[in-house]
């Protein structure tokens, strides 16, 4: 929260004047140049991505956030309840904590790929994405980076979860359950499962930041964001 307040406070210095704001909101998307549209989009992408990383890539960034906290798959809840009943709840909690700690450690590794993805944005794509839904930018981002991020995240997640003895037992039991059609294949390996959930959480937080930027571009203190996203209102 303090990080976000600091970012907002420092950005207020560059707020547009009242007359400039009025002019920006009088524009339509057709009035925005390709250069400005692309620049606005890239600014939104970078701001949203870096903000999401800052919120998630810290202790309890996942574990302490109910919106992205990684839990064991729903198909294992009966087994989890049984373990808790027989006094093994501590081991379950240890695994869940390790899963979320792995996610928190992995997210900062996304910075370079996400920032580099911003540079791939073409002028032709920009207006179409800007005119899309509230998370069109985020979806573009995910399409560009998700496979590469999965490769980058997996070793970090694996290192965190393999320290917990229950992780291997999870893989053994879940693997058999998957073969029997009792759980999804992508949930049958703890490392793969957590990596996928880490990516889901990252892009969810980017989408939340994107919505805020679209709804209140002025609040982010960027004249180009105010000009471009203001034209969409």
């Amino acid at each position: 929260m303090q990080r976000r307040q600091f970012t907002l406070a420092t950005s207020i210095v560059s707020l547009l004047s009242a007359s400039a704001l009025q002019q920006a909101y009088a524009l339509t998307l057709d009035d925005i140049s390709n250069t400005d549209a692309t620049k606005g989009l890239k600014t939104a992408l970078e701001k949203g991505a870096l903000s999401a990383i800052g919120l998630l890539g810290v202790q309890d960034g996942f574990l302490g956030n109910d919106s992205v906290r990684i839990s064991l798959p729903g198909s294992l809840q009966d087994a989890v309840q049984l373990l808790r009943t027989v006094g093994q709840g501590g081991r379950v909690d240890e695994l869940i904590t390790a899963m979320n700690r792995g996610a928190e450690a992995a997210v900062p590794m996304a910075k370079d790929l996400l920032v580099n993805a911003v540079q791939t944005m073409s002028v032709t794509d920009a207006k179409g994405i800007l005119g899309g839904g509230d998370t069109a930018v985020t979806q573009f981002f995910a399409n560009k980076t998700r496979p590469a991020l999965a490769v980058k995240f997996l070793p970090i997640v694996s290192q965190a979860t393999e320290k917990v003895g229950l992780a291997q037992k999870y893989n053994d039991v879940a693997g058999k359950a998957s073969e029997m059609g009792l759980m999804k294949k992508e949930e049958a390996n703890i490392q793969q499962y957590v990596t996928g959930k880490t990516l889901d959480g990252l892009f969810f937080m980017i989408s939340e930041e994107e919505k805020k930027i679209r709804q209140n571009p002025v609040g982010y203190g960027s004249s180009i964001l105010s000009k471009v996203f203001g034209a969409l209102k």
Side-chain angles (χ1 to χ4, degrees):
M1 181 64 70
Q2 291 179 345
R3 185 192 301 270
R4 181 177 294 173
Q5 289 174 342
F6 177 77
T7 302
L8 183 58
T10 55
S11 68
I12 289 175
V13 178
S14 61
L15 285 175
L16 297 174
S17 66
S19 59
L21 283 174
Q22 197 170 32
Q23 180 181 9
Y25 281 89
L27 295 170
T28 67
L29 192 58
D30 289 338
D31 297 321
I32 305 296
S33 71
N34 285 336
T35 299
D36 279 353
T38 305
K39 186 176 180 182
L41 182 54
K42 288 182 176 181
T43 302
L45 275 169
E46 189 162 334
K47 280 179 174 286
L50 296 181
S51 178
I53 290 171
L55 291 169
L56 295 176
V58 295
Q59 183 165 321
D60 292 335
F62 273 83
L63 191 63
N65 184 337
D66 289 340
S67 296
V68 296
R69 185 174 187 267
I70 302 172
S71 301
L72 290 167
S75 55
L76 291 181
Q77 289 311 303
D78 287 345
V80 168
Q81 186 58 43
L82 177 60
L83 285 170
R84 292 191 184 282
T85 301
V86 297
Q88 296 297 309
R91 298 185 68 193
V92 172
D93 293 336
E94 183 184 8
L95 178 58
I96 291 173
T97 297
M99 289 160 53
N100 285 275
R101 292 288 183 252
E104 293 158 5
V107 160
M109 302 299 293
K111 181 177 178 180
D112 289 344
L113 277 175
L114 294 177
V115 171
N116 287 339
V118 173
Q119 304 308 316
T120 70
M121 177 65 63
S122 70
V123 173
T124 305
D125 291 334
K127 285 190 176 181
I129 295 171
L130 281 167
D134 283 347
T135 60
V137 171
T138 305
Q139 188 57 52
F140 176 84
F141 221 165
N143 291 341
K144 287 287 185 180
T145 63
R146 186 169 180 121
L149 286 175
V151 172
K152 204 163 189 175
F153 284 2
L154 183 59
I156 301 171
V157 168
S158 296
Q159 186 176 16
T161 55
E162 285 170 359
K163 294 177 182 178
V164 181
L166 196 58
Q168 186 56 52
K169 291 184 178 180
Y170 171 102
N171 287 344
D172 293 341
V173 172
K176 292 176 183 177
S178 176
E179 291 174 3
M180 297 171 64
L182 299 177
M183 69 185 302
K184 298 176 182 177
K185 185 177 180 180
E186 58 268 25
E187 296 178 348
N189 177 279
I190 192 72
Q191 291 82 15
Q192 295 283 357
Y193 170 73
V194 174
T195 296
K197 288 297 184 182
T198 303
L199 290 165
D200 290 345
L202 174 60
F203 288 115
F204 170 80
M205 292 301 291
I206 291 175
S207 74
E208 291 297 289
E209 291 301 310
E210 181 187 345
K211 289 175 186 176
K212 293 175 186 176
I213 293 172
R214 285 179 178 271
Q215 291 166 3
N216 183 26
V218 177
Y220 280 76
S222 168
S223 60
I224 191 63
L225 285 178
S226 299
K227 182 178 180 181
V228 174
F229 285 103
L232 299 175
K233 291 185 176 293

